Amino acid sequence: MKYFIRLSYLGKKYCGWQIQPDQPSVQESLTKSLETALQEKIELVGSGRTDTGVHAKNYIAHFSCETPIGDNKQFIFKLNTLLPKDIALHDMWKVHEDAHARFDAISRSYTYWVTQEKNPFLLDQAYYVKRKLNVQLMNQAASELKNYRNFKAFSKVKTQVYTYNCEVSEAKWKVLENGILEFNITANRFLRNMVRAIVGTLIEVGLEKINIKDFKKIVESENRSKAGKSVPAEALCLYQVTYPKELMKHE
């Protein structure tokens, strides 16, 4: 049987989703817990990588097993007792054998939080920017992202990808009731470090260090050194991965 699972995790203690030599990863921790629960070898495949320290709210992965699971709710409870406190399994359902958590994903959505007030309770959740930001200008620049396909200017330099093309369908800032600035971005795929580099560059727009024309030139340059700094990972969260409706149906 093949299953999709939905989980969340705090990324602070992990090198990201993907297994890395001699570093703790979410994939490794979850795989070990699944193998303990099922008493068989498991190959766990995620919907994509998340960078070191990045969180996830609705992460999707898949695995196949020979052992009959029976009651899904009971299995979720059992697995959560095996998992560390910063990883939680929320849901699971059967999918057809060809279903793939990574390749069948239609889009991925991230949020990034920025606070303009020093707040010790937001240390691991929001990036503190002291100077006043012009959110209107930041939104004007963010909307320009939808007009581009090549995002090499916001990608880590040393990364092996077949293309730097991504289709951004949403990129917008909003001010939450608690005064936190929330950036939401959705695309069919993301490059390594892409969101954090985009946010860092948009903050330069918000600080009025660069204008909209400059921002567009940065994207068009396809040069990472032209873009702003990469903002801290702890304020970034993968909050949604979308799939065709038939893959999300629970039996």
Side-chain angles (χ1 to χ4, degrees):
M1 289 291 183
K2 180 177 271 191
Y3 291 88
F4 265 23
I5 56 174
R6 182 174 64 85
L7 61 139
S8 61
Y9 55 86
L10 289 176
K12 186 176 181 179
K13 296 178 182 178
Y14 301 99
C15 68
W17 162 262
Q18 191 158 318
I19 292 174
Q20 301 289 339
D22 304 318
Q23 294 186 71
S25 70
V26 179
Q27 186 182 26
E28 180 183 36
S29 183
L30 186 52
T31 299
K32 285 180 178 178
S33 296
L34 281 167
E35 289 179 344
T36 300
L38 294 166
Q39 290 296 293
E40 64 174 279
K41 198 74 176 171
I42 293 296
E43 183 181 351
L44 183 65
V45 178
S47 53
R49 291 185 177 188
T50 53
D51 290 338
T52 299
V54 175
H55 317 298
K57 190 175 181 181
N58 290 292
Y59 191 91
I60 303 292
H62 78 247
F63 70 92
S64 296
C65 63
E66 298 292 333
T67 307
I69 287 179
D71 190 325
N72 285 4
K73 287 184 178 180
Q74 191 175 1
F75 183 78
I76 290 169
F77 178 83
K78 181 180 181 180
L79 203 66
N80 278 327
T81 62
L82 296 169
L83 286 166
K85 287 187 278 188
D86 49 11
I87 303 175
L89 181 63
H90 303 294
D91 200 2
M92 64 182 293
W93 61 97
K94 288 180 185 176
V95 291
H96 59 77
E97 285 302 313
D98 294 330
H100 200 287
R102 180 184 171 193
F103 298 135
D104 287 332
I106 297 169
S107 68
R108 294 144 174 98
S109 301
Y110 283 88
T111 59
Y112 194 91
W113 282 3
V114 171
T115 179
Q116 297 262 257
E117 288 185 20
K118 189 176 183 181
N119 186 338
F121 294 101
L122 293 175
L123 272 176
D124 295 327
Q125 298 175 54
Y127 175 43
Y128 175 41
V129 178
K130 299 176 187 177
R131 289 177 54 198
K132 186 70 175 174
L133 292 166
N134 187 327
V135 182
Q136 186 177 356
L137 281 179
M138 289 160 70
N139 263 328
Q140 286 178 32
S143 67
E144 294 290 340
L145 294 168
K146 291 181 279 187
N147 298 325
Y148 293 94
R149 289 293 176 269
N150 190 308
F151 290 92
K152 190 175 181 179
F154 302 115
S155 172
K156 270 194 173 180
V157 179
K158 294 180 180 179
T159 182
Q160 294 178 332
V161 292
Y162 64 91
T163 177
Y164 290 97
N165 288 355
C166 307
E167 294 178 18
V168 174
S169 55
E170 180 191 33
K172 185 169 60 177
W173 289 90
K174 62 181 178 181
V175 182
L176 305 183
E177 289 182 7
N178 55 7
I180 289 176
L181 305 181
E182 182 182 86
F183 180 59
N184 294 288
I185 184 166
T186 299
N188 65 325
R189 64 189 289 267
F190 286 91
L191 305 168
R192 286 188 68 194
N193 211 50
M194 178 174 160
V195 180
R196 291 162 60 197
I198 286 174
V199 172
T201 312
L202 289 174
I203 285 174
E204 290 197 356
V205 174
L207 293 171
E208 299 183 20
K209 290 182 177 180
I210 60 174
N211 57 35
I212 306 298
K213 190 176 180 181
D214 296 328
F215 182 79
K216 291 167 72 174
K217 282 182 179 178
I218 288 168
V219 184
E220 291 162 9
S221 75
E222 299 180 15
N223 187 336
R224 178 65 186 91
S225 65
K226 302 283 186 185
K229 70 175 184 179
S230 180
V231 289
E234 64 265 16
L236 181 62
C237 181
L238 172 68
Y239 76 89
Q240 192 70 49
V241 185
T242 58
Y243 293 88
K245 287 182 180 178
E246 61 268 20
L247 283 183
M248 303 306 284
K249 288 179 180 177
H250 292 44
E251 291 186 6

